[in-house]
Amino acid sequence: MEGKAVTGFAMIGFAMVSTLLFGCSEPLEVTVTPTRDVDHFQVTAQTNIDMYCPTGICKFELAASQETAITINMHYTDARSFEKIEGVSVTGRQGATVAMVDDNTFSLTLAGENELTKIQVVDYYRY
């Protein structure tokens, strides 16, 4: 997927799987599933996702085949990023791994073994 942007549309329930090779180990597979108010998403690097939520509040699910840190950049549109994330709610034990990177970006560690992580993100300045 290097050099290409992958886009998924929530309207058709699209889930994206990205593969990253680590030496002789099994390849990393990350699944992204939009569940509410996600217009689309783009994988900009193997563990970096741009999520587009036009309402400023959305839900999506992530899972990975092995433990890995993921960075998510939140946007309204290509021209406008979230101004200040008000909150990131994570269902499950992975919530403790959430770290704010900047006003529109956060990271978290996925547990691996395709354990599903449900996420809701809210922008403080949402419409």
Side-chain angles (χ1 to χ4, degrees):
M1 291 197 191
E2 191 170 299
K4 295 182 182 178
V6 176
T7 305
F9 294 94
M11 290 180 235
I12 58 173
F14 180 83
M16 185 285 306
V17 177
S18 166
T19 302
L20 175 64
L21 300 175
F22 286 112
C24 296
S25 66
E26 293 295 318
L28 170 65
E29 292 183 359
V30 176
T31 304
V32 179
T33 307
T35 57
R36 191 182 109 211
D37 295 331
V38 174
D39 182 56
H40 67 283
F41 63 88
Q42 292 180 325
V43 176
T44 58
Q46 294 294 349
T47 57
N48 192 4
I49 301 166
D50 283 349
M51 194 67 61
Y52 294 85
C53 302
T55 64
I57 183 169
C58 62
K59 293 182 180 182
F60 53 93
E61 299 173 346
L62 300 174
S65 59
Q66 55 190 271
E67 184 176 318
T68 192
I70 300 287
T71 301
I72 296 118
N73 306 297
M74 300 301 299
H75 305 273
Y76 286 97
T77 65
D78 286 333
R80 182 177 177 216
S81 296
F82 272 33
E83 294 178 41
K84 181 175 174 49
I85 294 175
E86 178 179 355
V88 177
S89 300
V90 178
T91 301
R93 61 188 168 115
Q94 296 316 110
T97 69
V98 173
M100 297 307 298
V101 175
D102 59 30
D103 285 342
N104 73 315
T105 305
F106 68 96
S107 65
L108 77 153
T109 301
L110 299 177
E113 298 181 17
N114 293 311
E115 181 179 317
L116 191 63
T117 301
K118 296 179 180 185
I119 302 166
Q120 176 176 290
V121 183
V122 179
D123 185 33
Y124 183 79
Y125 297 101
R126 66 190 171 276
Y127 296 115

